[in-house]
Amino acid sequence: MNSSAHSPTASAAQALAAATPAVISVSPTSGSTAGGTTVTVTGTGFTGATAVRFGATQAPSFTVVSDTQITATTPLGTGTVQVTVTTPIGTSNQFVTYTYVTTPAPVLSSVSPVSGPSAGGTTVTLTGTGFTGATAVRFGATPASFVVNSATQITATAPAGSGTVQVTVTGPGGTSNGVPFTYTTAPVPTLTSVTPTSGPTAGGTTVTLTGTGLATAGAVRFGATPAASFTVVSDTHITAVAPAGTGTVPVTVTTSGGTSNGISYTYSAAPILSGVSPNQGPTSGGNTVTLTGANLTGATAVTFGATPATSFTVVSPTQITAVVPAATAGPIGVTVTTPGGTSTLPSAYFYVSTPVLTGVAPPSGPLSGGNTVTLTGVHLIEATAVRFGTTAASAFTVVSDTQITAVVPAGAAGLTDVTVSTVGGTSNAVSYTYLPAPVVTTLIPSQGPASGGITFTLTGTNLAQATTVLVGGAPAGFTVVSDSHIVVDALPGAAGPVTVTVTTPGGTSAPKTYTRVGSPGI
């Protein structure tokens, strides 16, 4: 067993070694050659410290915070020096260094706002130079929390205080000049509304802020961004021009009494209109179209040219349905307006004139249909349907903007309306008559000389529209006396029976027999 481990001399040496101060780190590790930088020394065994040295020069002041921490003010110096702590037990190791730099002290040119409530909490923007590496911002002797935005800007939160104090910035090069900030007892402003509550990401929207305690407003912010401009109208109203931004941000007002609560303002992306379907319709309007695109939420207006839609509904961020207003024929642009701006799709919709019919030829035909008629008029080129009454034509062909040929469907005897429909609407009606086929019941006399030269009378029904009378296959002269009587010129020909038929637009009658009789022989 080693008895020396229990000797008084060995125990004293161990106790002395355990109590000797040790420096582990210094923060910051550099500062101005002019001294005055507050540094934090971290280590062990600092209780009872009698000196803190930077190289051979004692710190002008220091405070033992705990056995492991000391805050010290740097003396004048140059280059890189050892930082040591001395206690009654001894002096620390010399492994931790501090570098004197020739960085100039920061310069503070302004603070905004220049006042705030005594309770603190005001967000203050500090402007100047040399802020990089700033280690402290103080309002008088009181430290403030802060964020270094750039070498020329710091955002700080004012601590509680009273009266007028000097705001300073401390950096590696030293402490800046002071700029005054005044603590006031004015009430903190409040906001109750922002109108409108949204606008384009490009900014430029004029909004009205309503609240209380606004008369001394020194700043209006949209999020962290100052308003492009603002005007204090009264203690309860401010008008402000929104800056550019994105998303939803709180709008705040800062006065000498502090910064208000925030009211939400939303930056909306500009709408994009990409399509209109259907893209044409009647000049009378009233039809519903679907607008497609992006960023359509919150749409405040839909216009066709300069005319507002009769009504519209925002279905989703990509779709709006709108009722088309009346307008004159031709192409027109469609515009959607949202809080984010406007989007116009040029010549996106075409107003089509209502078709007009002037005639149908022939104006009549058989009940069975199947005959072809020609419709004349104007604005027929976009025809989508031809109807005889309520029955669609068997087929139709658009020949030009003024002419259509159509195959007549079967129908009931009598007049019916013929119409043409296009995307511009349905035309006026023109009359077409369905005619039953003619019927011949008697032929008087039923015979005559082969040499002709006489007339015979046909009786029957539906004879008024007769266009042709054939005797033995040859057209004969005739006179329509009434719908039931026709007088026919007998044609000369060989003796014997021949057929007689009557043709009208309604068809051809069943044949009747007429007999030619030869002259008697001598």
Side-chain angles (χ1 to χ4, degrees):
M1 183 174 180
N2 187 350
S3 60
S4 65
H6 298 282
S7 69
T9 301
S11 296
Q14 290 171 355
L16 180 62
T20 301
V23 174
I24 298 172
S25 66
V26 172
S27 178
T29 59
S30 62
S32 172
T33 56
T37 302
T38 299
V39 298
T40 298
V41 182
T42 303
T44 60
F46 292 165
T47 301
T50 57
V52 175
R53 291 182 175 82
F54 289 76
T57 307
Q58 286 199 75
S61 64
F62 68 91
T63 300
V64 178
V65 179
S66 67
D67 192 59
T68 60
Q69 188 179 93
I70 292 174
T71 58
T73 302
T74 61
L76 297 171
T78 58
T80 298
V81 297
Q82 304 289 331
V83 179
T84 58
V85 174
T86 298
T87 69
I89 302 301
T91 297
S92 68
N93 56 303
Q94 297 186 15
F95 303 126
V96 177
T97 61
Y98 179 84
T99 301
Y100 285 98
V101 295
T102 56
T103 302
V107 175
L108 187 57
S109 57
S110 66
V111 297
S112 178
V114 296
S115 61
S118 56
T122 302
T123 299
V124 182
T125 300
L126 284 59
T127 304
T129 59
F131 291 165
T132 301
T135 57
V137 172
R138 291 183 175 83
F139 284 66
T142 308
S145 61
F146 66 95
V147 174
V148 178
N149 302 321
S150 68
T152 59
Q153 187 181 87
I154 289 176
T155 301
T157 301
S162 61
T164 298
V165 298
Q166 298 296 313
V167 180
T168 58
V169 175
T170 299
T175 299
S176 72
N177 57 299
V179 172
F181 178 86
T182 301
Y183 287 98
T184 69
T185 57
V188 176
T190 60
L191 282 181
T192 55
S193 67
V194 173
T195 306
T197 58
S198 59
T201 55
T205 302
T206 298
V207 299
T208 299
L209 314 182
T210 304
T212 59
L214 309 181
T216 61
V220 174
R221 291 182 174 85
F222 288 69
T225 308
S229 64
F230 69 91
T231 301
V232 177
V233 179
S234 67
D235 193 56
T236 59
H237 288 85
I238 291 175
T239 59
V241 177
T246 58
T248 298
V249 298
V251 180
T252 57
V253 174
T254 300
T255 69
S256 58
T259 298
S260 72
N261 57 300
I263 298 289
S264 294
Y265 179 85
T266 300
Y267 285 99
S268 301
I272 299 171
L273 185 58
S274 57
V276 179
S277 179
N279 63 358
Q280 56 184 359
T283 55
S284 59
N287 53 310
T288 298
V289 298
T290 298
L291 313 182
T292 52
N295 308 322
L296 305 181
T297 301
T300 55
V302 174
T303 57
F304 289 72
T307 306
T310 303
S311 64
F312 68 90
T313 301
V314 178
V315 179
S316 70
T318 61
Q319 188 177 97
I320 292 175
T321 58
V323 177
V324 181
T328 56
I332 202 165
V334 180
T335 300
V336 172
T337 300
T338 73
T342 61
S343 177
T344 298
L345 201 58
S347 300
Y349 186 81
F350 201 100
Y351 282 98
V352 178
S353 297
T354 303
V356 176
L357 282 181
T358 56
V360 53
S364 57
L367 304 182
S368 59
N371 53 311
T372 298
V373 297
T374 299
L375 309 180
T376 54
V378 291
H379 311 312
L380 308 181
I381 196 72
E382 297 282 344
T384 56
V386 174
R387 291 183 176 85
F388 288 72
T390 59
T391 306
S394 300
F396 70 91
T397 301
V398 177
V399 179
S400 68
D401 193 52
T402 61
Q403 188 178 97
I404 292 174
T405 59
V407 177
V408 182
L415 291 174
T416 191
D417 290 335
V418 182
T419 57
V420 172
S421 295
T422 72
V423 291
T426 298
S427 72
N428 58 300
V430 292
S431 294
Y432 177 84
T433 304
Y434 280 100
L435 296 175
V439 175
V440 176
T441 56
T442 62
L443 191 158
I444 301 172
S446 61
Q447 60 182 14
S451 60
I454 68 167
T455 62
F456 57 86
T457 300
L458 306 180
T459 60
T461 57
N462 308 319
L463 305 179
Q465 303 288 332
T467 57
T468 305
V469 175
L470 297 179
V471 177
F478 67 92
T479 300
V480 176
V481 178
S482 69
D483 194 50
S484 59
H485 289 82
I486 295 177
V487 176
V488 183
D489 298 329
L491 298 175
V498 292
T499 59
V500 177
T501 59
V502 177
T503 299
T504 73
T508 299
S509 68
K512 286 293 182 179
T513 301
Y514 176 79
T515 302
R516 294 189 181 109
V517 178
S519 299
I522 297 178

